[in-house]
Amino acid sequence: MPQIILASSSTYRKQLLSRLNLAFNIISPDVNETSHTHESPQQLCERLSRAKAQAVSTLNPAKIVIGSDQVASLNGTLLGKPGNKLRATQQLQSCSANSVDFFTGLCLQRGETQLFHLAHTQVKFRDLSTLEINSYLEAETPWDCAGSFKAEGLGICLFESIDSQDPTDLIGLPLIALSRMLREFGVNPLTPS
């Protein structure tokens, strides 16, 4: 059994973690993702990332468990996964010509030890026409993506700029921070044993 577990059901996080060429298992955590009253996007992101890691680590204390979550916020309003074309259209119309903040939490846990990192990415959307929004949504159907886009695909054309320290933050798993945190637990993706 690999010593690393990804506590996620996200195919995007699985693809990102696969880039590090490490063996890992996946266990989907059973965590209620409802936000609490007066909880900031950053607080929500941190709470959920930690909760996901802890939920899986409880049954696997000797393993390194990776928990992650991403929260998108437009002027303080949370943007969840749209689920369908109508809500995705509404999200992209709201995001058009605006900046959206994405917070990506990353928690590694082994036993009682937890490491945490919070990444912030700001995306400035272009002034999008109705035709552009409809064409994009027909092409990529990002119903399972907060903010209604896939930055690793055609969604990049929706943006004027992205301000981030790590290009993988926006996709959902900050690999630069993850590599550093794994090394702190004695696992170096460049020298796996």
Side-chain angles (χ1 to χ4, degrees):
M1 289 275 292
Q3 65 176 9
I4 297 172
I5 299 174
L6 177 61
S8 178
S9 58
S10 167
T11 57
Y12 306 107
R13 288 191 181 98
K14 177 184 175 185
Q15 290 169 353
L16 285 168
L17 183 55
S18 294
R19 290 186 191 182
L20 299 186
N21 205 27
L22 297 169
F24 63 93
N25 285 336
I26 296 173
I27 298 176
S28 183
D30 185 20
V31 172
N32 182 340
E33 297 191 17
T34 305
S35 63
H36 294 166
T37 305
H38 306 299
E39 189 173 39
S40 72
Q42 299 95 317
Q43 291 168 330
L44 173 62
C45 187
E46 180 172 353
R47 179 176 59 81
L48 293 178
S49 299
R50 289 182 185 275
K52 290 175 181 180
Q54 189 168 15
V56 173
S57 184
T58 300
L59 299 174
N60 301 278
K63 308 283 184 179
I64 298 170
V65 178
I66 302 168
S68 185
D69 197 77
Q70 186 174 70
V71 176
S73 172
L74 172 61
N75 300 320
T77 301
L78 296 180
L79 299 177
K81 297 173 183 174
N84 61 47
K85 185 176 182 181
L86 175 62
R87 285 195 288 258
T89 300
Q90 292 167 340
Q91 274 192 4
L92 289 178
Q93 287 170 338
S94 296
C95 293
S96 179
N98 283 305
S99 291
V100 178
D101 293 298
F102 288 83
F103 300 96
T104 307
L106 175 62
C107 181
L108 267 65
Q109 182 165 345
R110 183 171 54 199
E112 296 298 314
T113 303
Q114 262 194 4
L115 303 175
F116 180 76
H117 172 80
L118 181 67
H120 174 234
T121 301
Q122 189 171 70
V123 176
K124 171 71 174 148
F125 281 78
R126 294 177 38 254
D127 189 1
L128 302 169
S129 71
T130 300
L131 177 60
E132 288 175 313
I133 290 171
N134 287 333
S135 295
Y136 171 69
L137 293 177
E138 290 294 325
E140 285 201 325
T141 62
W143 318 148
D144 63 341
C145 301
S148 302
F149 65 83
K150 296 180 183 180
E152 66 277 20
L154 188 60
I156 200 76
C157 298
L158 302 170
F159 309 148
E160 195 171 290
S161 65
I162 299 174
D163 184 16
S164 180
Q165 301 221 345
D166 179 344
T168 59
D169 290 350
L170 190 56
I171 303 170
L173 190 64
L175 293 183
I176 292 173
L178 177 57
S179 296
R180 174 183 46 79
M181 294 162 79
L182 284 169
R183 288 192 302 271
E184 290 183 43
F185 275 132
V187 177
N188 187 334
L190 293 176
T191 59
S193 52

